[in-house]
Amino acid sequence: GTHVNTPSYIESNKQKLSDWLGQNSWAKGRTSDSNLYSVGTSPENNFQLPFLLKILSIDKALSIQAHPTREQAQKLHEKYPNIYKDPNHKPEMLIALTPFEAFCGLRSLEEIYYFLSNTPELQAVCGGTESVELIKKSLNESNSEIIQKSLEKLIR
């Protein structure tokens, strides 16, 4: 790929893929979205693919991953470039070569509240009544900070 931390290289000439793609714009194909590919500010990173290719051999459950939207990624990269290394969102696609089961997304806040309120064992491992109250509060207010605190409490 073209990620700055682990760039790919063209085998025949050892040129970085990002440099090669920057010099060979025909290789990116045609798109109506002019923002799909981001152009970097340095010769080392002059062309970025808007995705990260991962080839995984999965024999056990993978960790939960949450990726920002394109707009969020751009803002986070601008504000925290040492943490968010590029301004691209991370859309994901799964192509299973063998039988595979996947979980995608989270339950609605209403469902989370219901299960936390009615399952003492779940409530105990998710922060107790404080989590229930945070979720309840987030149901009544569309405040992303409250929702974030609620989910952080649940995950810890």
Side-chain angles (χ1 to χ4, degrees), residues 8-137:
S8 295
Y9 293 87
I10 303 296
E11 181 66 30
S12 62
N13 62 9
K14 306 301 182 214
Q15 182 181 20
K16 282 186 182 177
L17 179 60
S18 60
D19 293 340
W20 186 88
L21 288 169
Q23 296 165 3
N24 297 279
S25 60
W26 60 267
K28 72 179 181 180
R30 286 183 273 174
T31 177
S32 61
D33 185 350
S34 61
N35 295 318
L36 186 59
Y37 302 97
S38 62
V39 177
T41 56
S42 66
E44 306 87 47
N45 194 19
N46 64 11
F47 188 88
Q48 289 248 331
L49 293 171
F51 58 85
L52 177 64
L53 175 64
K54 293 181 186 179
I55 300 174
L56 306 172
S57 175
I58 304 167
D59 65 349
K60 61 182 181 175
L62 297 175
S63 62
I64 293 175
Q65 296 185 358
H67 300 291
T69 64
R70 180 182 294 165
E71 294 77 22
Q72 291 169 330
Q74 289 169 344
K75 289 176 184 173
L76 289 166
H77 174 68
E78 190 175 304
K79 191 171 182 179
Y80 307 105
N82 56 328
I83 298 171
Y84 296 92
K85 303 294 184 183
D86 68 70
N88 288 309
H89 61 314
K90 303 290 185 259
E92 293 193 10
M93 177 189 305
L94 178 108
I95 301 172
L97 302 179
T98 58
F100 184 83
E101 291 182 22
F103 167 76
C104 182
L106 298 173
R107 292 185 181 272
S108 68
L109 287 175
E110 290 82 4
E111 288 178 293
I112 293 171
Y113 177 72
Y114 173 82
F115 286 115
L116 273 178
S117 297
N118 294 291
T119 313
E121 299 84 0
L122 181 61
Q123 193 178 117
V125 297
C126 292
T129 57
E130 184 181 350
S131 291
V132 176
E133 292 307 313
L134 279 170
I135 294 290
K136 184 177 182 179
K137 188 174 184 181

